[in-house]
């Protein structure tokens, strides 16, 4: 129910203020009016110079007048006829207004001096349009154009401001309300939907659907240049051999790789790590020799003390003798 209310509000917004114009002075004219909108119809040049005239549809006389005097207007509550300009403006158009109409002109002696017909067709304006973008298994793009509300929509497609070409479409894909585009076709795709009283559009930015173009040399020396799905690519596994950006050729939709790298990546030595190891080694050597010096010093000190003690004992022994 909520969706219905929203759609009705959208239709009201679209129809409000939609005004169409039609020249009914030519016999057999085909006119269009917007449902809920208004129509400005040129019935004649100057009614004030015509002794008598009447305008009717298939069943009812709508307008009857003599020169500048309007004798009858059966839809006066929603229409205005201006005799000096011969224009008849009808507002709040409805489905019943769609019909075949006849204008009869009479001279001063009430004899038929002219007659012409017109057909009025009433269409509901298109409320909005929405694009649906699907990626196919091989990277092609299926784009559908859905119209909300309105009568008799017709479709037109453009890519970056120009009409799509056959080279950009898969064989058998026609420009109706959906198209299937080749993998390499990129840019802003616009669907234009229109009928006789309105037009709407929507756009989508085309991508490569997860595919990338690779140009590299395999391990066995084979040159590889093709589109592959990036997630399952095993042909060129080295990151520098894969080009993920492409350029477009105007009018054809074909692409060329933005860069080609075929050499293996150079081996880079991490000098910072080497310097760190060297410093650690020197610190270890300094620590080792410091401990060794301290150890030797204590050994020397101990031996010196022992020699001094032995010398004292010898002196005491000599004194006692």
């Amino acid at each position: 129910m909520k969706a219905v209310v929203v759609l009705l509000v959208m239709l009201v917004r679209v129809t409000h203020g939609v005004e169409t114009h039609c020249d009914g002075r030519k016999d057999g004219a085909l006119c269009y009016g917007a449902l809920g909108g208004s129509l400005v119809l040129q019935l004649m040049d100057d009614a004030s110079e015509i002794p008598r005239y009447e305008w009717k549809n298939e069943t009812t006389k709508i307008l009857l007048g003599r020169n500048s005097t309007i004798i009858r207007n059966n839809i006066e509550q929603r229409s205005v006829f201006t005799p000096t300009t011969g224009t008849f403006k009808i507002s709040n158009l409805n489905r019943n207004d769609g019909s075949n109409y006849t204008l009869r002109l009479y001279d001063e002696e009430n004899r038929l001096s002219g007659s012409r017909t017109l057909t009025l067709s009433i269409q509901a304006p298109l409320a909005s349009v929405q694009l649906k973008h699907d990626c196919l298994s091989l990277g092609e793009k299926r784009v559908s154009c859905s119209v909300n509300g309105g009568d008799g929509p017709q479709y037109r497609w453009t890519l970056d401001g120009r009409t799509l070409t056959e080279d950009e479409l898969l064989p058998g894909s026609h420009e109706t309300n959906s198209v299937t585009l080749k993998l390499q076709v990129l840019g802003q795709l616009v669907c234009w939907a229109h009928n006789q009283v309105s037009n709407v559009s929507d756009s989508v930015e085309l991508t490569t659907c997860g595919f990338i173009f690779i140009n590299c040399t395999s391990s066995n020396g084979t040159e590889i240049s093709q589109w592959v799905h990036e997630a399952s690519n095993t042909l060129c596994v080295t990151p520098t051999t894969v080009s993920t950006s492409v350029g477009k050729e105007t009018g054809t939709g074909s692409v060329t790789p933005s860069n080609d790298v075929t050499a293996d990546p150079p081996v880079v030595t991490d000098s910072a790590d080497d310097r760190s190891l060297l410093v650690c080694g020197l610190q270890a050597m300094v620590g080792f020799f410091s401990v060794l010096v301290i150890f030797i010093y204590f050994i020397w000190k101990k031996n010196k003390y022992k020699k001094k003690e032995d010398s004292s004992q010898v002196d005491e022994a000599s004194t006692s003798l």
Side-chain angles (χ1 to χ4, degrees), residues 136-139 183 208-212 227-234:
L136 304 183
S137 59
L138 298 180
L183 183 156
T208 57
C209 294
F211 279 73
I212 56 174
W227 286 92
V228 296
H229 197 273
E230 184 175 15
S232 58
N233 172 40
T234 57

Side-chain angles (χ1 to χ4, degrees), residues 153-301:
Q154 299 181 39
Y155 301 90
R156 182 171 65 91
W157 297 85
T158 60
L159 180 65
D160 291 337
R162 58 174 177 78
T163 303
L164 279 174
T165 66
E166 290 295 329
D167 291 336
E168 293 164 331
L169 298 169
L170 286 186
S173 176
H174 303 289
E175 293 188 36
T176 55
N177 65 321
S178 63
V179 291
T180 304
L181 302 162
K182 295 179 179 179
L183 183 156
Q184 66 268 28
V185 178
L186 304 175
Q188 186 180 55
L189 182 71
V190 181
C191 172
W192 303 87
H194 64 93
N195 58 13
Q196 298 295 331
V197 298
S198 64
N199 60 82
V200 290
S201 65
D202 192 17
S203 64
V204 64
E205 192 69 26
L206 299 176
T207 67
T208 57
C209 294
F211 279 73
I212 56 174
F213 187 84
I214 61 173
N215 193 339
C216 65
T217 303
S218 65
S219 58
N220 60 5
T222 303
E223 294 290 337
I224 301 176
S225 297
Q226 66 184 69
W227 286 92
V228 296
H229 197 273
E230 184 175 15
S232 58
N233 172 40
T234 57
L235 297 177
C236 294
V237 294
T238 304
T240 55
T241 64
V242 180
S243 174
T244 57
S245 61
V246 295
K248 295 180 289 181
E249 293 183 4
T250 304
T252 62
S254 61
V255 297
T256 56
S258 61
N259 56 0
D260 299 327
V261 182
T262 56
D264 291 333
V267 177
V268 179
T269 303
D270 193 341
S271 57
D273 289 344
D274 291 343
R275 288 194 298 270
S276 178
L277 291 175
L278 179 60
V279 170
C280 291
L282 291 175
Q283 290 177 342
M285 291 179 62
V286 170
F288 172 78
F289 283 109
S290 297
V291 172
L292 181 61
V293 169
I294 293 172
F295 177 77
I296 293 174
Y297 173 78
F298 277 104
I299 294 296
W300 173 78
K301 191 75 173 177

Side-chain angles (χ1 to χ4, degrees), residues 82-138:
T82 307
T84 55
T85 60
T87 57
F88 194 24
K89 181 175 180 179
I90 308 172
S91 302
N92 195 23
L93 293 168
N94 56 64
R95 296 288 187 183
N96 293 330
D97 290 325
S99 181
N100 295 318
Y101 292 83
T102 301
L103 175 66
R104 296 182 185 274
L105 309 175
Y106 298 87
D107 60 19
E108 293 178 352
E109 297 180 359
N110 206 30
R111 291 178 301 188
L112 184 65
S113 61
S115 176
R116 51 179 174 265
T117 63
L118 66 85
T119 300
L120 175 58
S121 177
I122 305 299
Q123 288 189 338
L126 307 178
S128 63
V129 65
Q130 185 176 8
L131 288 180
K132 181 182 179 183
H133 177 205
D134 295 316
C135 292
L136 304 183
S137 59
L138 298 180

Side-chain angles (χ1 to χ4, degrees), residues 36-50:
S38 60
L39 168 68
V40 178
L41 179 62
Q42 185 78 49
L43 281 178
M44 56 195 88
D45 292 324
D46 187 355
S48 62
E49 299 180 355
I50 301 174

Side-chain angles (χ1 to χ4, degrees), residues 7-58:
L7 181 57
L8 288 175
V9 171
M10 292 174 63
L11 287 174
V12 169
R13 288 179 178 175
V14 170
T15 57
H16 178 69
V18 176
E19 182 176 278
T20 56
H21 296 256
C22 183
D23 189 350
R25 293 172 295 182
K26 183 179 180 180
D27 188 37
L30 178 58
C31 302
Y32 293 91
L35 182 64
S38 60
L39 168 68
V40 178
L41 179 62
Q42 185 78 49
L43 281 178
M44 56 195 88
D45 292 324
D46 187 355
S48 62
E49 299 180 355
I50 301 174
R52 180 171 174 264
Y53 49 87
E54 64 178 30
W55 191 59
K56 58 180 289 185
N57 60 20
E58 297 170 350

